[in-house]
Amino acid sequence: MTTQPILINDQWSVRPAEDSFGPENPSTGEPLGETYPVSGLSTLLAMAEHARQAAEDLNHCPPDQIGAFLETHADLIDKRRDEIAQMAHLETGLPFQPRLREVEMDRTIDQLRQAAECVRSRDWMSARIDTKLDLRSMYEPLGGAVLTIGPNNFPLAYNGIAGGDFAAAIAARNPIIAKAHPLHPGTTRLLAQCAHDAAAHADLPSGSVQMFYHCKPDDGLELIKSQHVGAVGFTGSQLVGLELKRAADETGTPIYLELSSINPMFLLPGALDARCDEMAEMISESLLAASGQQCTCPGLIVVPERPAGVRFIQQLAERLGDAEPQVMLSAGGVKGLHESVQHVIKHGAELLIGGRPVSDTHARYEHTLLHVDAARFLEQPESLQHEMFGVAALVVVCEEQEQMVQIARSLSGNLTGTIHSDQNAPEDRQLADRITGVLRPRVGRLIHDAVPTGVSVNASTVHGGPFPATGHPGFTAVGLPTSIHRFAALRCYDRVPERSLPPELRNTNPTGTMMRFINGTWTNKDAQDS
Amino acid sequence: MTTQPILINDQWSVRPAEDSFGPENPSTGEPLGETYPVSGLSTLLAMAEHARQAAEDLNHCPPDQIGAFLETHADLIDKRRDEIAQMAHLETGLPFQPRLREVEMDRTIDQLRQAAECVRSRDWMSARIDTKLDLRSMYEPLGGAVLTIGPNNFPLAYNGIAGGDFAAAIAARNPIIAKAHPLHPGTTRLLAQCAHDAAAHADLPSGSVQMFYHCKPDDGLELIKSQHVGAVGFTGSQLVGLELKRAADETGTPIYLELSSINPMFLLPGALDARCDEMAEMISESLLAASGQQCTCPGLIVVPERPAGVRFIQQLAERLGDAEPQVMLSAGGVKGLHESVQHVIKHGAELLIGGRPVSDTHARYEHTLLHVDAARFLEQPESLQHEMFGVAALVVVCEEQEQMVQIARSLSGNLTGTIHSDQNAPEDRQLADRITGVLRPRVGRLIHDAVPTGVSVNASTVHGGPFPATGHPGFTAVGLPTSIHRFAALRCYDRVPERSLPPELRNTNPTGTMMRFINGTWTNKDAQDS
């Protein structure tokens, strides 16, 4: 059986493989009929070697060339919108429309175009010039490949060859080695075709954009440790992420992880009394979106013990129970979700609804709601703040308001934290302030009176947070130009003659509009020698 | 024997200690007469617990209060300039004047004042506001202590309680747990007195600034893994630094390391022909400064085989040989230097001058110059790019120009790299371009026609570089406001009501001058709700 070729050094090439695999349709459990290679270490290291040369060449590429690549890539994906969304639907079971064909597709295309704009403006480089000392610095490419490893749950917007890490890493002019997620290799193949065609169109250096489908775990770790890999971007499970992190840490390679998050949500008494039904509707919709398979899905809901709290829980349970379970990304995902639910039950939570796989041939799981009282939660907060990746949430019921603050204090790092309060009720305001103070250093994005799902690609957003939600609290995985800084090195030129400087650090502003920090002031003017 | 108290939760306090130690005068080998504690784990964890509370309180401190603290700290150090420089001279053997009393002291004071200015301007926070989505983000404190661990070689400017890491970490409003370097505890005590008095004067929250002298290695690793430690700043040896890194990596704690660097220098043919004598003078002075005990000391000098190259080596050897070896920081440092020189000899380098400790009671080492031919170097580049911390350099002689490029390609991460060329000679220009291309991703600061020693505290500088020179290529340890970002978390507020926002993210510009990115434009104007 012939396997699909991988994209190596600008060629679609069939290489000797360690093994092969075939994706299946999670809606039916049937194989989709294509066979993809599990690439061996020698192939991975060959890609790294090609990337080494590409890194040197890309260093000299004008930003406009990268901008043209990103825009063409976006255009080509846009043109093949139906075909790509159809393949993603077959491979992931996510709804074709509007989820894949419009929502995620638009976000993916928009992200690539925003990255192109950032590349052309060059503002993200943060060029700083001191003419008196003749000292000039800015963000530059890393000098090696960025290995982008996309997750199962966003086959387009987080795809290693088209998603956020990809856009940010190549915006900084790093070559890319993308790894497909093995649950959607066909989608990744189509996106890689767009990337390959766009790279040819923009005449990018050979090896700027490479892609493989799968590898043995140990071979992946060896690739990470290669001296030609400058950084890694990974979105996925904590278990795998921490293994990759150990390999990257060993060689001092920056690795950006987006791992698990339970996205705690605090419903304050006044808010419950004022808008219980509205919140139940909003939160159930957030939980149900994408079958709960989103990193910002609200998995921990803290409510005070009061009539409106009881009503909220009832309403939430009803809404989740009434909705039909949708197909999940894979049978493995269903198994993982069930294990997580069992783990939370084992540590004292009780089932309100759900808690079992749906007994048919599809990969589906009953919508699940659990509850536990605050005292119990606070006895073993580490065991009970456990991600359940799917439509499943744990409600913690607090007899006393103080327990809400204590629960906030017991949380480890999360991508988001949400507070629902009634700003007209002085007691809610005071409690919200206290919880905010405790929650603030524990989450990347603090939300008021809304839900955490639905992340905007925006200069002001932060999709990040403290460990173990991510690997570093100082960065964001979403948002441009901010996410580019993950894949850049800060470098300085000390008394280097004008002709040997990168254009962005010469006296003349290379675009006429680029913002540079010259002798203490941000300006788009030229620098004058002192 | 009573030991000196440590500074814990705003008290100078004598705690039960694991052990004690006394510094000695490296010029004489005599004990200096004071005894300092080796603090135990329970003391370290108590400091972390105090810092936890301080982190919550500092989050609410107005920036001006931190600014006032930094300025008062600078003023108090300035007032005690003679006393502090005298103590540092006794403990380190570094020259009292001008090195300690003027040069390093001025840099230390200036750095604290620059940090105060950054804190007051708030520009470093990079506040970003999108009024349409009501999405606002900025850099904030980490939410835990920063453990600052200073090195032996800059008792003032890198001191854990007064140096660059300290200034940057508290500028971001993080509480500090400073560890003294055991070779200059008295200097650290005096600086900590200034910090303590300044904290009282500025009314900082309790536990904002703490200091201990020493600990057992394992206890230090436990402190790093404490959940109340938000980040670590370390400058010192690669061996120790990598051990700390392993502990920090385990708990996902950001750690910023400034480790070894050999600061390669390439002398191009035209430059040698045109200004051989001048370069020998400049480079020998750079090597001799601070007895070679600087992280930017040029330890690897690559020269082409030609008459001017031979003359350069002769002149450099003469100048180093003629200078009188100065006292080093410690007898341990002399031992370490000797081992490094032996290591380089073992791998094929030959001694030109020096290579032995000076046989007297003082901690001194003969100025040392070694050479090796390029072919030999390229056989085992990893073994031969070995830091020799002192006045010692390895000259690599290249038969062919191509070898200079190959040597550049064989280098691992360094803080600096220097090229001396004759910009009027086309051949030099071409070779300089090629070496620049290869060197650029391997160093933090690329220097032309000058020496790497002498780092300016400037917004445009980068004192950083790829692993293993540092732990992350995207940051700088020197320079303000840039170095502050190491100790900050990126956080976002999503539809949070105005009154619950930090002042820097409210619509009204809190200073009237702070630069914020509002709806796509950097501005110091107020934001208007959409």
Short mmCIF file of all heavy atoms in Angstrom, two decimals, chain A residues 84-122:
data_model
loop_
_atom_site.label_atom_id
_atom_site.label_comp_id
_atom_site.label_asym_id
_atom_site.label_seq_id
_atom_site.Cartn_x
_atom_site.Cartn_y
_atom_site.Cartn_z
N ILE A 84 -11.81 21.78 1.79
CA ILE A 84 -11.09 21.64 3.07
C ILE A 84 -12.06 21.41 4.22
O ILE A 84 -11.85 20.53 5.07
CB ILE A 84 -10.20 22.89 3.32
CG1 ILE A 84 -9.09 22.98 2.25
CG2 ILE A 84 -9.58 22.84 4.71
CD1 ILE A 84 -8.36 24.32 2.22
N ALA A 85 -13.13 22.20 4.25
CA ALA A 85 -14.11 22.04 5.35
C ALA A 85 -14.77 20.67 5.29
O ALA A 85 -15.05 20.06 6.33
CB ALA A 85 -15.15 23.15 5.27
N GLN A 86 -15.00 20.18 4.08
CA GLN A 86 -15.62 18.86 3.92
C GLN A 86 -14.70 17.77 4.48
O GLN A 86 -15.14 16.88 5.22
CB GLN A 86 -15.92 18.62 2.43
CG GLN A 86 -16.68 17.34 2.14
CD GLN A 86 -18.02 17.29 2.88
OE1 GLN A 86 -18.70 18.30 3.02
NE2 GLN A 86 -18.37 16.12 3.41
N MET A 87 -13.43 17.86 4.12
CA MET A 87 -12.45 16.89 4.62
C MET A 87 -12.35 16.98 6.15
O MET A 87 -12.34 15.95 6.84
CB MET A 87 -11.09 17.16 3.98
CG MET A 87 -9.97 16.29 4.48
SD MET A 87 -10.10 14.56 3.94
CE MET A 87 -9.11 14.63 2.44
N ALA A 88 -12.30 18.19 6.68
CA ALA A 88 -12.21 18.36 8.14
C ALA A 88 -13.45 17.79 8.81
O ALA A 88 -13.37 17.17 9.89
CB ALA A 88 -12.03 19.84 8.48
N HIS A 89 -14.58 17.99 8.19
CA HIS A 89 -15.83 17.45 8.75
C HIS A 89 -15.78 15.92 8.80
O HIS A 89 -16.11 15.28 9.81
CB HIS A 89 -17.02 17.92 7.91
CG HIS A 89 -18.29 17.20 8.22
ND1 HIS A 89 -18.89 17.29 9.46
CD2 HIS A 89 -19.04 16.35 7.49
CE1 HIS A 89 -19.98 16.53 9.46
NE2 HIS A 89 -20.10 15.96 8.28
N LEU A 90 -15.33 15.30 7.70
CA LEU A 90 -15.22 13.84 7.65
C LEU A 90 -14.26 13.32 8.73
O LEU A 90 -14.52 12.31 9.37
CB LEU A 90 -14.71 13.39 6.27
CG LEU A 90 -15.72 13.36 5.13
CD1 LEU A 90 -15.03 12.91 3.85
CD2 LEU A 90 -16.86 12.39 5.47
N GLU A 91 -13.15 14.03 8.88
CA GLU A 91 -12.11 13.51 9.77
C GLU A 91 -12.38 13.80 11.25
O GLU A 91 -11.91 13.06 12.12
CB GLU A 91 -10.74 14.09 9.38
CG GLU A 91 -10.23 13.54 8.05
CD GLU A 91 -8.82 14.01 7.71
OE1 GLU A 91 -8.48 15.18 8.02
OE2 GLU A 91 -8.06 13.23 7.13
N THR A 92 -13.07 14.90 11.55
CA THR A 92 -13.21 15.30 12.96
C THR A 92 -14.64 15.16 13.48
O THR A 92 -14.85 15.21 14.70
CB THR A 92 -12.83 16.78 13.16
OG1 THR A 92 -13.78 17.60 12.44
CG2 THR A 92 -11.43 17.06 12.65
N GLY A 93 -15.61 15.06 12.58
CA GLY A 93 -16.99 15.01 13.04
C GLY A 93 -17.53 16.37 13.44
O GLY A 93 -18.71 16.48 13.80
N LEU A 94 -16.70 17.41 13.40
CA LEU A 94 -17.20 18.76 13.71
C LEU A 94 -18.17 19.17 12.60
O LEU A 94 -18.00 18.79 11.44
CB LEU A 94 -16.04 19.75 13.81
CG LEU A 94 -15.12 19.56 15.02
CD1 LEU A 94 -13.84 20.37 14.86
CD2 LEU A 94 -15.84 19.96 16.32
N PRO A 95 -19.19 19.97 12.94
CA PRO A 95 -20.19 20.34 11.94
C PRO A 95 -19.56 21.08 10.75
O PRO A 95 -18.74 21.97 10.94
CB PRO A 95 -21.15 21.27 12.70
CG PRO A 95 -20.93 20.96 14.15
CD PRO A 95 -19.52 20.51 14.28
N PHE A 96 -20.01 20.68 9.54
CA PHE A 96 -19.49 21.30 8.31
C PHE A 96 -19.82 22.80 8.30
O PHE A 96 -18.98 23.63 7.98
CB PHE A 96 -20.12 20.60 7.10
CG PHE A 96 -19.76 21.22 5.78
CD1 PHE A 96 -18.45 21.18 5.31
CD2 PHE A 96 -20.73 21.85 5.01
CE1 PHE A 96 -18.12 21.76 4.08
CE2 PHE A 96 -20.40 22.42 3.79
CZ PHE A 96 -19.10 22.38 3.33
N GLN A 97 -21.08 23.09 8.69
CA GLN A 97 -21.55 24.47 8.58
C GLN A 97 -22.37 24.85 9.80
O GLN A 97 -23.18 24.02 10.25
CB GLN A 97 -22.45 24.60 7.34
CG GLN A 97 -22.14 25.80 6.52
CD GLN A 97 -22.73 25.71 5.12
OE1 GLN A 97 -23.38 24.73 4.77
NE2 GLN A 97 -22.52 26.73 4.33
N PRO A 98 -22.21 25.99 10.43
CA PRO A 98 -21.24 27.02 10.04
C PRO A 98 -19.86 26.81 10.67
O PRO A 98 -18.91 27.47 10.29
CB PRO A 98 -21.87 28.30 10.61
CG PRO A 98 -22.61 27.84 11.82
CD PRO A 98 -23.06 26.43 11.54
N ARG A 99 -19.74 25.85 11.62
CA ARG A 99 -18.51 25.74 12.39
C ARG A 99 -17.24 25.70 11.54
O ARG A 99 -16.35 26.54 11.70
CB ARG A 99 -18.58 24.50 13.31
CG ARG A 99 -17.26 23.93 13.80
CD ARG A 99 -16.47 24.84 14.74
NE ARG A 99 -15.07 24.47 14.80
CZ ARG A 99 -14.48 23.91 15.84
NH1 ARG A 99 -15.17 23.69 16.94
NH2 ARG A 99 -13.20 23.60 15.79
N LEU A 100 -17.16 24.70 10.62
CA LEU A 100 -15.91 24.56 9.88
C LEU A 100 -15.85 25.50 8.68
O LEU A 100 -14.88 26.25 8.52
CB LEU A 100 -15.73 23.10 9.42
CG LEU A 100 -15.40 22.11 10.53
CD1 LEU A 100 -15.54 20.68 10.04
CD2 LEU A 100 -13.99 22.34 11.09
N ARG A 101 -16.88 25.47 7.84
CA ARG A 101 -16.82 26.19 6.56
C ARG A 101 -16.79 27.70 6.75
O ARG A 101 -16.15 28.41 5.97
CB ARG A 101 -18.00 25.79 5.68
CG ARG A 101 -17.88 26.32 4.25
CD ARG A 101 -19.07 25.96 3.39
NE ARG A 101 -18.91 26.54 2.06
CZ ARG A 101 -19.12 27.83 1.80
NH1 ARG A 101 -19.50 28.65 2.75
NH2 ARG A 101 -18.94 28.29 0.56
N GLU A 102 -17.46 28.19 7.79
CA GLU A 102 -17.46 29.64 8.00
C GLU A 102 -16.62 30.05 9.22
O GLU A 102 -15.59 30.68 9.07
CB GLU A 102 -18.89 30.18 8.14
CG GLU A 102 -19.62 30.31 6.81
CD GLU A 102 -20.17 28.99 6.30
OE1 GLU A 102 -20.44 28.10 7.15
OE2 GLU A 102 -20.32 28.81 5.07
N VAL A 103 -17.06 29.64 10.40
CA VAL A 103 -16.46 30.20 11.63
C VAL A 103 -14.96 29.94 11.71
O VAL A 103 -14.15 30.86 11.75
CB VAL A 103 -17.18 29.67 12.89
CG1 VAL A 103 -16.57 30.29 14.13
CG2 VAL A 103 -18.67 29.98 12.81
N GLU A 104 -14.59 28.65 11.72
CA GLU A 104 -13.16 28.35 11.90
C GLU A 104 -12.36 28.71 10.66
O GLU A 104 -11.22 29.17 10.74
CB GLU A 104 -12.97 26.88 12.28
CG GLU A 104 -11.56 26.62 12.77
CD GLU A 104 -11.32 25.19 13.22
OE1 GLU A 104 -12.28 24.49 13.58
OE2 GLU A 104 -10.14 24.79 13.22
N MET A 105 -12.97 28.53 9.49
CA MET A 105 -12.29 28.87 8.23
C MET A 105 -12.00 30.37 8.17
O MET A 105 -10.88 30.79 7.85
CB MET A 105 -13.18 28.45 7.06
CG MET A 105 -12.56 28.61 5.70
SD MET A 105 -11.22 27.44 5.41
CE MET A 105 -12.15 25.96 5.02
N ASP A 106 -13.01 31.17 8.48
CA ASP A 106 -12.82 32.63 8.44
C ASP A 106 -11.73 33.06 9.42
O ASP A 106 -10.91 33.92 9.12
CB ASP A 106 -14.13 33.34 8.77
CG ASP A 106 -15.13 33.25 7.62
OD1 ASP A 106 -14.72 32.85 6.52
OD2 ASP A 106 -16.32 33.56 7.84
N ARG A 107 -11.77 32.45 10.60
CA ARG A 107 -10.76 32.81 11.60
C ARG A 107 -9.36 32.46 11.10
O ARG A 107 -8.41 33.24 11.27
CB ARG A 107 -11.06 32.05 12.91
CG ARG A 107 -10.01 32.29 13.95
CD ARG A 107 -10.36 31.64 15.27
NE ARG A 107 -9.16 31.57 16.10
CZ ARG A 107 -9.13 31.03 17.29
NH1 ARG A 107 -10.23 30.53 17.83
NH2 ARG A 107 -8.01 31.01 17.98
N THR A 108 -9.24 31.30 10.46
CA THR A 108 -7.93 30.85 9.96
C THR A 108 -7.41 31.80 8.89
O THR A 108 -6.24 32.22 8.91
CB THR A 108 -8.07 29.42 9.39
OG1 THR A 108 -8.69 28.59 10.37
CG2 THR A 108 -6.73 28.85 8.99
N ILE A 109 -8.28 32.11 7.95
CA ILE A 109 -7.89 32.99 6.84
C ILE A 109 -7.56 34.39 7.35
O ILE A 109 -6.56 35.00 6.99
CB ILE A 109 -9.02 33.01 5.79
CG1 ILE A 109 -9.11 31.64 5.12
CG2 ILE A 109 -8.80 34.12 4.77
CD1 ILE A 109 -10.37 31.45 4.27
N ASP A 110 -8.41 34.88 8.25
CA ASP A 110 -8.20 36.22 8.81
C ASP A 110 -6.89 36.29 9.58
O ASP A 110 -6.16 37.28 9.52
CB ASP A 110 -9.38 36.55 9.73
CG ASP A 110 -9.19 37.88 10.42
OD1 ASP A 110 -8.96 38.88 9.72
OD2 ASP A 110 -9.26 37.93 11.67
N GLN A 111 -6.57 35.20 10.29
CA GLN A 111 -5.34 35.15 11.07
C GLN A 111 -4.11 35.24 10.18
O GLN A 111 -3.15 35.96 10.48
CB GLN A 111 -5.36 33.83 11.85
CG GLN A 111 -4.44 33.74 13.02
CD GLN A 111 -4.85 32.59 13.94
OE1 GLN A 111 -5.29 32.79 15.05
NE2 GLN A 111 -4.72 31.36 13.45
N LEU A 112 -4.15 34.53 9.06
CA LEU A 112 -3.02 34.59 8.12
C LEU A 112 -2.90 36.00 7.53
O LEU A 112 -1.79 36.51 7.36
CB LEU A 112 -3.23 33.55 7.00
CG LEU A 112 -3.11 32.08 7.44
CD1 LEU A 112 -3.64 31.15 6.35
CD2 LEU A 112 -1.66 31.72 7.78
N ARG A 113 -4.04 36.62 7.24
CA ARG A 113 -3.99 37.98 6.66
C ARG A 113 -3.52 38.99 7.69
O ARG A 113 -2.77 39.91 7.36
CB ARG A 113 -5.37 38.36 6.10
CG ARG A 113 -5.70 37.53 4.86
CD ARG A 113 -6.92 38.03 4.11
NE ARG A 113 -7.10 37.21 2.90
CZ ARG A 113 -8.26 36.73 2.48
NH1 ARG A 113 -9.39 37.02 3.13
NH2 ARG A 113 -8.33 35.97 1.39
N GLN A 114 -3.96 38.83 8.94
CA GLN A 114 -3.46 39.73 9.99
C GLN A 114 -1.95 39.57 10.16
O GLN A 114 -1.23 40.55 10.36
CB GLN A 114 -4.14 39.42 11.33
CG GLN A 114 -5.52 40.00 11.51
CD GLN A 114 -5.96 39.93 12.98
OE1 GLN A 114 -5.18 40.20 13.88
NE2 GLN A 114 -7.21 39.59 13.20
N ALA A 115 -1.49 38.32 10.08
CA ALA A 115 -0.04 38.09 10.21
C ALA A 115 0.71 38.78 9.07
O ALA A 115 1.77 39.39 9.28
CB ALA A 115 0.26 36.59 10.23
N ALA A 116 0.14 38.71 7.86
CA ALA A 116 0.77 39.37 6.72
C ALA A 116 0.88 40.88 6.97
O ALA A 116 1.90 41.51 6.68
CB ALA A 116 -0.05 39.10 5.45
N GLU A 117 -0.19 41.43 7.52
CA GLU A 117 -0.19 42.88 7.80
C GLU A 117 0.90 43.23 8.83
O GLU A 117 1.61 44.23 8.69
CB GLU A 117 -1.57 43.25 8.35
CG GLU A 117 -2.04 44.63 8.01
CD GLU A 117 -3.48 44.82 8.51
OE1 GLU A 117 -4.38 44.10 8.01
OE2 GLU A 117 -3.67 45.65 9.40
N CYS A 118 1.01 42.40 9.86
CA CYS A 118 2.04 42.63 10.87
C CYS A 118 3.44 42.55 10.27
O CYS A 118 4.32 43.34 10.59
CB CYS A 118 1.95 41.58 11.98
SG CYS A 118 0.50 41.78 13.01
N VAL A 119 3.63 41.55 9.40
CA VAL A 119 4.93 41.39 8.76
C VAL A 119 5.26 42.64 7.95
O VAL A 119 6.37 43.16 8.00
CB VAL A 119 4.91 40.16 7.84
CG1 VAL A 119 6.11 40.15 6.93
CG2 VAL A 119 4.84 38.88 8.65
N ARG A 120 4.28 43.13 7.19
CA ARG A 120 4.54 44.30 6.35
C ARG A 120 4.77 45.56 7.17
O ARG A 120 5.59 46.40 6.80
CB ARG A 120 3.37 44.52 5.39
CG ARG A 120 3.26 43.44 4.29
CD ARG A 120 2.19 43.82 3.27
NE ARG A 120 1.84 42.74 2.35
CZ ARG A 120 2.53 42.44 1.26
NH1 ARG A 120 3.61 43.13 0.93
NH2 ARG A 120 2.14 41.45 0.47
N SER A 121 4.06 45.71 8.28
CA SER A 121 4.22 46.94 9.07
C SER A 121 5.55 46.95 9.84
O SER A 121 6.10 47.98 10.13
CB SER A 121 3.06 47.10 10.07
OG SER A 121 3.34 46.44 11.28
N ARG A 122 6.03 45.75 10.19
CA ARG A 122 7.31 45.57 10.90
C ARG A 122 7.29 46.13 12.33
O ARG A 122 8.32 46.13 13.01
CB ARG A 122 8.50 46.18 10.13
CG ARG A 122 8.52 45.78 8.66
CD ARG A 122 9.83 46.15 7.98
NE ARG A 122 9.69 46.09 6.52
CZ ARG A 122 10.68 46.19 5.66
NH1 ARG A 122 11.92 46.36 6.09
NH2 ARG A 122 10.47 46.13 4.37
#
